[in-house]
Amino acid sequence: MSCKNVAEAISVFQAGPMQDWFENHVVKHPTRGKIPGKVFLKEPLNLTGAEISLGSIPPGEGVPFIHTHKQNEEVYIFLTGHGEMLLDGESHSIEPGTVFRVATRVERTWRNTGPVPLTYIVIQAKTDSLEQWTGEDGNITGEAPWA
Ligand code: ZN
């Protein structure tokens, strides 16, 4: 787990292998105490338009609280494991590759129901803030050296 600013315009964070996220990362939350298996990337990467976090929950465990957001919608991208996502009390199954978008007011919590770590990425971005994307925002500036 390390971060270095390669240049003013670039930040790099090394989270390590997904199977080690639970052991290697912990967040000190202002009201919930220590949250193992979680790392927020806004500060190490100097993010300016979104908050991104990485998470890992071991078999048999789950997020112990329900939460909503004030102004950020969230996208949950599940990478490994199986689980259950409760959205306003409604159960949704989680498999590798399951992606949820959750609006601010929706009460959410999730748990691991399988035998391997449930690993995931969460992206928070301000609702209705995206003005251009994909080909509208990207500029192709040349051919890659391996093209
Ligand atoms: Zn959240």
Side-chain angles (χ1 to χ4, degrees):
M1 173 169 46
S2 66
C3 172
K4 68 181 173 184
N5 293 323
V6 175
E8 201 170 294
I10 301 168
S11 303
V12 177
F13 179 80
Q14 177 50 261
M18 281 189 292
Q19 66 267 21
D20 298 333
W21 286 359
F22 186 78
E23 288 76 21
N24 290 347
H25 299 290
V26 62
V27 164
K28 291 179 187 114
H29 191 274
T31 59
R32 297 298 309 191
K34 288 185 177 175
I35 303 175
K38 188 79 168 172
V39 58
F40 287 97
L41 301 181
K42 180 185 178 299
E43 290 183 15
L45 292 180
N46 303 308
L47 300 175
T48 64
E51 169 66 290
I52 300 172
S53 65
L54 310 177
S56 179
I57 297 175
E61 296 189 25
V63 175
F65 54 86
I66 295 170
H67 79 282
T68 62
H69 275 264
K70 296 181 182 77
Q71 63 178 17
N72 296 340
E73 66 182 14
E74 286 187 313
V75 176
Y76 292 79
I77 304 168
F78 288 93
L79 305 172
T80 67
H82 288 77
E84 177 182 27
M85 186 84 168
L86 286 180
L87 299 172
D88 279 343
E90 187 175 318
S91 177
H92 301 265
S93 67
I94 297 169
E95 300 173 26
T98 302
V99 180
F100 296 96
R101 173 202 167 256
V102 184
T104 53
R105 62 175 169 70
V106 176
E107 293 190 330
R108 71 211 69 183
T109 190
W110 57 100
R111 66 179 178 136
N112 187 342
T113 59
V116 301
L118 184 70
T119 59
Y120 54 95
I121 299 168
V122 185
I123 301 171
Q124 292 181 28
K126 189 173 181 179
T127 301
D128 292 329
S129 66
L130 192 61
E131 296 180 349
Q132 55 185 7
W133 53 90
T134 318
E136 292 178 18
D137 196 64
N139 301 313
I140 294 174
T141 60
E143 298 300 318
W146 48 81

